[in-house]
Amino acid sequence: MTSRQANALTVVGLVGLLAVTSLTAPRWARLLQRPLPAPADESAPADTRRRDEAPAGPRSSINVKLFFQAADRPGLMIEERAVPQSNDLSRQIKSVVEELIAGSKNGLAPTLAPATRVLEVFVTARGVAYVNLSKEAAEAAGGGSEAELITVYSVVNSLAVNFPAIKRVQILLEDKPRPTLWGHVDLTRPLPPDMTLLATSTLTPVANP
Amino acid sequence: MLYERDRREVLPAVRNGVEMLPLNQVLTGQGVTMSADARGSSLVISYGGREVTVYDRKSLASVGGDLRLLSSPVLFEEGRWLAPVESLPRLLQPLLGKRVDWRAASRLLVIGDVAAPRVAVTTSVSGDTVRIVLEASEPVPFKVQQDEKRVTVSIARELLETPPRQERLTGGIVDSVQFLGGRENVFAIGLGRRFQQLKTSEEPARLVLDFQARPLTAAATPAGTPSPGAPVAQAPPAGRVAPAETRTGGLRTVVIDPGHGGEEVGAMGPGGTMEKDITLGIARKLRGALVNGLGVQAFLTRDRDVEVPLDERAAFANNYKADLFISIHANASRSHGAKGSEVYFLSYQSTDEESRRLAISEGAVEVSGGAGVAAGSDLALILWDMAQAEHLEASSALATRIQEELAEVTGSQGRGIKQAPFRVLVGAAMPAVLLEVAFISNADEEKLLVSEAYQNKVVGAVVRGVARYQQQRASVAGGTTAGPGRP
Ligand SMILES: [Zn+2]
């Protein structure tokens, strides 16, 4: 009991009547109040939503630009691809990252291990996307600076270019921020896109978001 | 308005080695509303129109509409919402609209502006003396201690109020004044190279510290071994110090950081060469060349095959008061054709301006030295992230000079000076660059990297780059020209 006592924390506070000024409610609080999307309830609500919002016909799709490692030289290259449209931004972002993991269909090199899973995606009102990846994302051998920059910015650039609302992206691993993937690129804060990593050659020009 | 002080002992729960506190106990008496959703997956705490939402088993919380990362997940257990103690200030301060402090050393969570002795610190310089005065609102016990690197003043009071202080001084007598906090309420005064002796005089509520300089003409080699467990220094040969001093325009200490180490091997070449071995080999050669060629002190962040966390590497350079920080790496790409050398400095995002404002608005008390940074504290991390900001222009100049010299000897084209958010550079409080000597993933360059001749060429180029950088700085400092803005 004594050691428990010794470990107790002390909370010093003020009990008192603070004049409660009614502040304007935070504008975005609504957005974030509901529980974060859990993978478990994905199928059912998603289906109903789709039925509600896109009543008939085939699912609509959108064209996205995916950033992969160039096959024959350093740097990123863009591959365009159609993905099913979702009305939920987080879910749409998740699908784009999953397409990145699935790899190129035109012979570009992958940037993420194929076993990587996208655990969750959150988007804040300030335009930060948090992409929570499974540990496989960090399990690549031979990670030098260049390879690490390419992996990180394949995700960051892909999201920033396709979603104007996304200004910065932070990659989390297994629910937690991690200093780096392989000892170089800072993952402790959200990163804006970096288009200087595009491979030098004739490319689809990319508009700066 | 009447305030009453409320002091309670709360027993933390420890989960996965993290101390957690039940939110309802912490918030007793604060007048907040708490409502959990039916499934127990989220909890909304509201107060005065503001809201914080935490989620079971998530290290994320919604604070006033934005997500914040917590140090570890919140847990919903048997009707109690447990939150990591370290993250409570970051959750509760914006909610309650008043100061919330977690004082780890004294195990105190302070909510609101609890009355406490106020201590003001003033600094003044006259001639060869820096005077620092601590003035308290009531008599407090001052305890002064001195070691080679700094003087600390402790005030053993449970709570102390002092304005955020993180001051840097030029002139070489006192380098920094900062409030470190802790149970003893420590103020730390970092000693400069010219410091010679300290004189103190004390009255009950007032302490006067006079730091006196040694005359400028004396040899400027810092005395003493900077820190224990670091026999990695190599002092310049005594006879060379004076001429080198003039040649390098005040450059005294360089910290070299051999990338990776231990289990963390870095990149691997097709022939099995490990990045960590190459970086250590080049770093050792560079240390010798800087000492002998420029007459500076040079230290390695590691001098053996051992893992060193990235933030400790920058902290090491900060503790040694290094003038330059050079991190050595060998590159790797998934593209086998990638080759050439590159010199990086930190890319600093506009978002950091946000962090700065946040830190200031939250009444930050911080630490520039690095060693005192509480690793778990959100606020400390934000400020740590700002250390390199004021040196970017100098870092860019240093990168340019080194790259120009490297291009001469390695003949690499198309690559060059680059910017990237490399973690090891973030906390460095001095001009800092990261050198990618060559691509270890390229079979030809892997062979170069292991060759003594190539390593020596690289080292020679870096030394010339550093020397040219320093000459340029010295001549700019002499004139009135402001440096050009960073592109
Ligand atoms: Zn490296």
Side-chain angles (χ1 to χ4, degrees):
Chain A
M1 200 60 200
T2 42
S3 74
R4 277 162 58 100
Q5 294 274 351
N7 279 330
L9 297 168
T10 311
V11 178
V12 182
L14 297 172
V15 189
L17 298 170
L18 272 179
V20 180
T21 48
S22 52
L23 302 175
T24 42
R27 306 108 293 222
W28 319 293
R30 296 301 119 202
L31 289 175
L32 292 154
Q33 259 180 48
R34 62 193 144 84
L36 296 167
D41 44 34
E42 198 155 70
S43 53
D47 281 349
T48 39
R49 189 167 309 165
R50 235 177 254 125
R51 224 177 297 127
D52 291 347
E53 290 161 3
R59 287 183 204 173
S60 50
S61 64
I62 57 165
N63 260 338
V64 294
K65 296 185 170 75
L66 301 175
F67 288 69
F68 292 107
Q69 162 75 59
D72 53 349
R73 55 182 167 268
L76 290 164
M77 284 182 83
I78 294 171
E79 181 173 313
E80 291 212 31
R81 183 179 302 181
V83 300
Q85 186 173 8
S86 165
N87 291 308
D88 180 303
L89 180 58
S90 300
R91 203 158 292 168
Q92 187 78 71
I93 288 174
K94 187 169 187 248
S95 76
V96 168
V97 181
E98 281 165 351
E99 291 292 332
L100 272 179
I101 295 167
S104 164
K105 292 173 178 165
N106 299 327
L108 300 177
T111 58
L112 287 160
T116 307
R117 283 164 300 122
V118 187
L119 301 177
E120 260 162 335
V121 170
F122 321 102
V123 178
T124 75
R126 291 181 190 170
V128 179
Y130 293 88
V131 178
N132 185 5
L133 299 176
S134 66
K135 59 181 185 306
E136 288 83 2
E139 281 172 3
S145 293
E146 167 90 8
E148 195 168 327
L149 284 165
I150 290 295
T151 292
V152 170
Y153 283 99
S154 75
V155 176
V156 175
N157 287 2
S158 294
L159 301 189
V161 160
N162 291 302
F163 306 103
I166 303 301
K167 308 292 182 217
R168 289 178 288 142
V169 177
Q170 181 166 5
I171 295 172
L172 310 176
L173 283 166
E174 303 283 340
D175 294 326
K176 281 193 178 157
R178 192 171 132 142
T180 66
L181 283 179
W182 305 306
H184 306 99
V185 181
D186 189 2
L187 292 186
T188 64
R189 53 189 167 165
L191 297 170
D194 183 352
M195 295 303 161
T196 64
L197 288 166
L198 284 171
T200 43
S201 75
T202 48
L203 274 179
T204 329
V206 181
N208 225 333
Chain B
M1 273 186 284
L2 262 177
Y3 292 115
E4 210 181 323
R5 191 156 147 174
D6 161 44
R7 196 192 160 100
R8 300 190 307 273
E9 306 286 304
V10 179
L11 208 57
V14 178
R15 300 287 178 271
N16 301 318
V18 177
E19 286 191 302
M20 318 274 287
L21 280 186
L23 281 168
N24 62 325
Q25 276 188 50
V26 175
L27 290 167
T28 300
Q30 297 292 341
V32 302
T33 315
M34 301 173 81
S35 62
D37 75 334
R39 288 189 301 169
S41 64
S42 70
L43 170 75
V44 180
I45 312 168
S46 15
Y47 178 80
R50 294 180 289 256
E51 283 182 348
V52 165
T53 310
V54 293
Y55 307 91
D56 184 27
R57 282 165 293 153
K58 298 265 178 285
S59 327
L60 293 160
S62 153
V63 176
D66 206 352
L67 282 186
R68 291 216 185 169
L69 295 170
L70 308 180
S71 52
S72 62
V74 165
L75 297 173
F76 180 56
E77 263 185 26
E78 296 161 8
R80 297 192 309 171
W81 286 86
L82 300 174
V85 176
E86 273 177 10
S87 295
L88 286 174
R90 146 163 279 217
L91 276 179
L92 301 182
Q93 184 156 302
L95 175 76
L96 300 173
K98 54 186 157 185
R99 188 174 172 136
V100 178
D101 262 345
W102 164 235
R103 301 180 166 221
S106 37
R107 302 188 60 74
L108 275 175
L109 185 76
V110 182
I111 302 174
D113 294 312
V114 176
R118 205 179 302 265
V119 176
V121 183
T122 50
T123 312
S124 56
V125 185
S126 76
D128 273 347
T129 302
V130 172
R131 169 169 286 193
I132 296 177
V133 180
L134 281 80
E135 196 125 37
S137 57
E138 57 188 82
V140 291
F142 293 109
K143 190 169 103 194
V144 182
Q145 281 173 307
Q146 182 179 353
D147 63 25
E148 282 148 15
K149 285 269 149 188
R150 62 184 194 176
V151 168
T152 58
V153 179
S154 323
I155 301 173
R157 289 289 290 261
E158 184 180 275
L159 288 169
L160 198 70
E161 234 182 274
T162 186
R165 174 155 292 271
Q166 179 197 352
E167 190 177 346
R168 290 211 197 134
L169 305 178
T170 54
I173 307 170
V174 167
D175 283 349
S176 62
V177 183
Q178 44 193 288
F179 180 59
L180 300 178
R183 185 190 290 273
E184 305 264 279
N185 300 296
V186 177
F187 293 84
I189 297 139
L191 298 174
R193 301 184 183 89
R194 292 180 55 216
F195 169 76
Q196 191 166 40
Q197 61 169 330
L198 169 67
K199 289 193 173 152
T200 65
S201 67
E202 189 183 340
E203 295 156 37
R206 184 180 150 95
L207 177 71
V208 179
L209 305 164
D210 282 330
F211 298 84
Q212 293 171 341
R214 87 177 60 127
L216 268 174
T217 46
T221 313
T225 329
S227 96
V232 290
Q234 198 167 316
R240 313 186 56 140
V241 174
E245 196 67 40
T246 45
R247 213 169 52 219
T248 55
L251 178 66
R252 290 189 179 88
T253 308
V254 178
V255 163
I256 305 159
D257 171 46
H260 311 279
E263 298 273 288
E264 210 259 286
V265 302
M268 193 113 77
T273 312
M274 287 189 276
E275 183 184 355
K276 64 170 184 177
D277 297 329
I278 298 297
T279 60
L280 183 55
I282 294 176
R284 282 176 175 155
K285 286 193 173 70
L286 179 57
R287 175 178 59 191
L290 285 170
V291 168
N292 293 318
L294 301 183
V296 298
Q297 294 195 111
F299 303 98
L300 302 188
T301 55
R302 66 176 179 97
D303 198 9
R304 53 198 176 95
D305 186 15
V306 62
E307 197 168 332
V308 180
L310 292 177
D311 285 353
E312 273 179 30
R313 295 168 187 254
F316 179 94
N318 295 347
N319 288 344
Y320 278 70
K321 303 189 190 308
D323 300 303
L324 301 176
F325 179 76
I326 302 174
S327 187
I328 309 277
H329 286 252
N331 215 339
S333 166
R334 293 187 187 83
S335 156
H336 297 296
K339 60 188 171 94
S341 61
E342 294 164 336
V343 185
Y344 283 90
F345 66 104
L346 186 70
S347 63
Y348 215 66
Q349 289 93 38
S350 55
T351 64
D352 298 303
E353 197 47 45
E354 252 172 60
S355 306
R356 185 192 305 268
R357 267 186 272 117
L358 176 74
I360 290 164
S361 70
E362 290 188 355
V365 172
E366 210 269 331
V367 187
S368 69
V373 172
S377 146
D378 295 315
L379 215 49
L381 284 177
I382 289 167
L383 287 156
W384 174 259
D385 283 356
M386 291 167 8
Q388 179 59 202
E390 63 188 274
H391 301 285
L392 285 180
E393 193 204 313
S395 298
S396 162
L398 177 63
T400 308
R401 296 293 88 78
I402 293 178
Q403 174 57 25
E404 284 166 358
E405 295 294 332
L406 266 180
E408 288 281 304
V409 300
T410 64
S412 42
Q413 283 136 15
R415 300 205 156 247
I417 319 152
K418 294 188 163 182
Q419 281 183 275
F422 286 141
R423 181 71 205 172
V424 75
L425 301 177
V426 166
M430 72 281 305
V433 296
L434 185 146
L435 202 60
E436 292 287 355
V437 175
F439 276 84
I440 201 171
S441 57
N442 176 303
D444 294 336
E445 293 205 337
E446 180 185 18
K447 290 196 196 93
L448 285 179
L449 282 168
V450 296
S451 93
E452 291 284 312
Y454 185 82
Q455 291 193 359
N456 286 331
K457 271 208 277 188
V458 167
V459 162
V462 176
V463 172
R464 285 192 299 279
V466 168
R468 281 182 52 217
Y469 160 84
Q470 196 55 35
Q471 281 158 9
Q472 195 185 26
R473 287 272 124 181
S475 64
V476 169
T480 49
T481 339
R486 210 163 44 79

